[in-house]
Amino acid sequence: MCDEVFGRHNFVRNIVWQKKYTSANDAAGIPDSHDHVLVYRKSETFTRNLLPRTDKQNNLYKYDDQNGRGRWRTDNLLVKSFSASAVFPIVNPNTRRAYLPPLGSCWRTSRETMDRWLQEERIYFGKQGQGAPQLKRYLQEVQAGLVPISWWPHEEAGHNDESKKELQALLGRDTFATPKPERLIQRILAIATNPGDLVLDSFAGSGTTGAVAHKMGRRWIMVELGEHCHTHIIPRLQKVIDGEDRGGITKAVDWQGGGGFRYYQLAPSLLTQDKWGNWVINRSYNAPMLTEALCKLEGFTYAPSDTVYWQQGYSTERDFIYVTTATLTQAQLQHLSDEVADRTLLVLCPAFRAHPDHPNLTIKKIPKHVLARCEWSHDDYSLRVENLPQAPAKPGQLLLFNQ
Ligand SMILES: C[S@@+](CC[C@H](N)C(=O)[O-])C[C@H]1O[C@@H](n2cnc3c(N)ncnc32)[C@H](O)[C@@H]1O
């Protein structure tokens, strides 16, 4: 399915995540202990980030010559790819003993560079200086991060048990069958995104993706069909924002709380079919809901006037919209046209009885006109977002658009 959506050439890697680290001795067959993270890119322009180095990895660099070059660890001087010019003796200056690479292998660099490394005391001959040569690998010279590989053990990416405990600690229950540990999502977001990027989880579940994205300074969109939105996602993200979620990756990224989110509940479909298959306005829409929905569809700002009944929304200072479920007569249209005067008005009504001849009025029928505005059977639905409600003024505030 991902091949169909993204194109096979955009497949990057199948990452194997060790989701369980124990297996019951009485388990039948061969128990399942891993899961797959399928990595697809949107296009060739995608570049992955390096993984941040952990303290554990940095602590491997435990020697220090106190010469300003910082901490180092030993590394192999041999490489497998053979090059005849990299086969030469290295002489231990303390013992005068000469070392040659074993047959079929060679040193990792040329004689020239090796001489320089010897001079710069970058070659280590053991604690007493009596042993075979090894390379001193300095922490400050290794790359800023680690190249991610396709095997993610539970020590690095977390496991199922950990995620269950995270949810338990956060919401007092672990009612979710397949939660992901925050560390797993953190790794994915570290590789694939940068601060400020938008992260989408269209199957939000317990909301781990949004919670982790939030703590990592990414923006996020989550979509959820079921009740998890109220039982898991909103309470979880509120705790994240209030700084009350002390679990998951909170400590690792030093999350203190902050930010906010908006929550929208999708309205029922504006149009439904009646028993004869005709498109009609959904009965659950009352007059203000219908007007607001049509304003959005037409690119008008919904702002019903208290005094002028036909000004229910505007697109400019002089262009208004009027939605009515009544059939308009010629006399009513004439009256409207007179009141609109030198401004313009879009009138949406189910029917009108007259030949409209008013230059300041544009009259369209609902639901016929709405139907024409809907997109059917497109491969590529263009989502119009310019009329989204404004962000709330204060962070942390919830807005409920139950339209
Ligand atoms: C396995 S969970 C996702 C887990 C989540 N991504 C995480 O990392 O913890 C799948 C979720 O997708 C939701 N879902 C299924 N079909 C959906 C749809 N068409 N639109 C939105 N959500 C959907 C389900 O209700 C369920 O909560």
Side-chain angles (χ1 to χ4, degrees):
M1 193 178 74
C2 288
D3 278 355
E4 278 177 25
V5 174
F6 299 102
R8 179 70 188 173
H9 60 284
N10 283 324
F11 170 68
V12 177
R13 190 66 61 214
N14 170 17
I15 290 173
V16 179
W17 165 49
Q18 189 187 15
K19 64 179 177 183
K20 284 186 198 156
Y21 60 96
T22 52
S23 92
N25 280 338
D26 55 356
I30 302 176
D32 167 41
S33 67
H34 70 276
D35 224 325
H36 300 267
V37 180
L38 298 180
V39 184
Y40 279 79
R41 63 185 182 190
K42 189 96 186 284
S43 72
E44 299 84 74
T45 54
F46 170 74
T47 49
R48 58 114 184 87
N49 294 330
L50 295 171
L51 284 171
R53 302 185 67 87
T54 63
D55 286 347
K56 196 174 157 201
Q57 286 150 349
N58 285 345
N59 289 342
L60 295 174
Y61 293 73
K62 52 184 182 213
Y63 303 108
D64 193 336
D65 295 337
Q66 305 296 332
N67 59 3
R69 281 193 214 140
R71 279 162 34 205
W72 57 271
R73 69 176 178 88
T74 54
D75 202 353
N76 203 344
L77 260 186
L78 295 165
V79 284
K80 281 202 189 98
S81 54
F82 183 76
S83 153
S85 64
V87 177
F88 49 85
I90 298 178
V91 180
N92 182 327
N94 307 315
T95 60
R96 306 309 306 165
R97 182 171 162 197
Y99 291 86
L100 270 173
L103 216 61
S105 62
C106 64
W107 302 124
R108 62 163 64 232
T109 191
S110 64
R111 185 188 288 260
E112 220 176 20
T113 310
M114 191 67 78
D115 284 346
R116 183 163 54 81
W117 284 356
L118 280 162
Q119 246 178 17
E120 292 174 357
E121 295 184 1
R122 284 170 178 270
I123 304 297
Y124 180 64
F125 293 96
K127 253 189 189 151
Q128 316 296 333
Q130 311 287 305
Q134 285 175 288
L135 180 67
K136 291 181 186 176
R137 175 78 66 196
Y138 288 94
L139 180 56
Q140 62 179 11
E141 287 172 2
V142 291
Q143 35 189 346
L146 299 167
V147 174
I149 58 169
S150 62
W151 162 237
W152 290 10
H154 71 85
E155 296 93 338
E156 292 172 16
H159 47 78
N160 274 161
D161 253 9
E162 179 175 321
S163 44
K164 287 189 176 171
K165 282 181 190 135
E166 281 172 0
L167 265 194
Q168 176 78 36
L170 205 56
L171 303 173
R173 58 189 185 279
D174 91 57
T175 49
F176 213 78
T178 55
K180 317 286 178 300
E182 292 204 1
R183 283 198 290 162
L184 175 71
I185 307 292
Q186 180 193 23
R187 231 172 137 84
I188 294 171
L189 299 190
I191 292 169
T193 68
N194 295 309
D197 281 353
L198 256 181
V199 175
L200 169 71
D201 187 349
S202 51
F203 304 92
S206 61
T208 311
T209 309
V212 173
H214 200 96
K215 292 180 194 175
M216 292 176 72
R218 274 67 165 166
R219 295 174 298 147
W220 50 266
I221 298 176
M222 291 196 275
V223 185
E224 176 52 57
L225 185 73
E227 266 308 296
H228 305 116
C229 201
H230 303 110
T231 56
H232 290 75
I233 300 173
I234 292 177
R236 181 175 190 168
L237 267 298
Q238 270 174 333
K239 287 195 169 171
V240 171
I241 284 160
D242 293 344
E244 284 171 13
D245 169 9
R246 298 198 179 85
I249 63 161
T250 293
K251 229 168 141 189
V253 298
D254 193 24
W255 174 250
Q256 308 281 341
F261 63 91
R262 281 177 280 163
Y263 160 57
Y264 302 96
Q265 189 169 342
L266 281 186
S269 178
L270 176 60
L271 297 177
T272 53
Q273 279 177 307
D274 66 12
K275 59 182 172 181
W276 296 282
N278 297 321
W279 286 103
V280 291
I281 298 291
N282 194 328
R283 291 165 75 94
S284 61
Y285 272 69
N286 58 27
M289 280 166 72
L290 176 65
T291 308
E292 188 173 353
L294 291 180
C295 278
K296 213 162 259 177
L297 213 57
E298 294 295 330
F300 283 72
T301 303
Y302 176 63
S305 158
D306 291 338
T307 47
V308 187
Y309 73 95
W310 50 265
Q311 288 182 9
Q312 294 172 330
Y314 62 89
S315 71
T316 68
E317 267 177 25
R318 310 195 60 74
D319 186 34
F320 299 90
I321 186 170
Y322 173 47
V323 180
T324 176
T325 46
T327 299
L328 294 173
T329 62
Q330 170 61 20
Q332 285 167 316
L333 287 170
Q334 184 58 54
H335 182 73
L336 259 180
S337 178
D338 292 345
E339 280 203 25
V340 171
D342 60 346
R343 293 160 292 189
T344 50
L345 182 68
L346 170 63
V347 184
L348 291 169
C349 58
F352 48 93
R353 260 186 248 124
H355 196 69
D357 189 18
H358 308 288
N360 55 358
L361 302 185
T362 306
I363 308 168
K364 287 180 178 167
K365 283 189 187 174
I366 40 175
K368 201 173 149 204
H369 175 62
V370 178
L371 268 174
R373 299 298 298 257
C374 293
E375 300 185 57
W376 309 101
S377 315
H378 282 211
D379 281 344
D380 171 23
Y381 288 90
S382 50
L383 176 68
R384 288 162 54 106
V385 293
E386 69 261 41
N387 298 315
L388 281 178
Q390 292 300 300
K394 280 192 220 134
Q397 221 175 10
L398 276 181
L399 271 191
L400 172 63
F401 284 85
N402 193 357
Q403 51 190 10

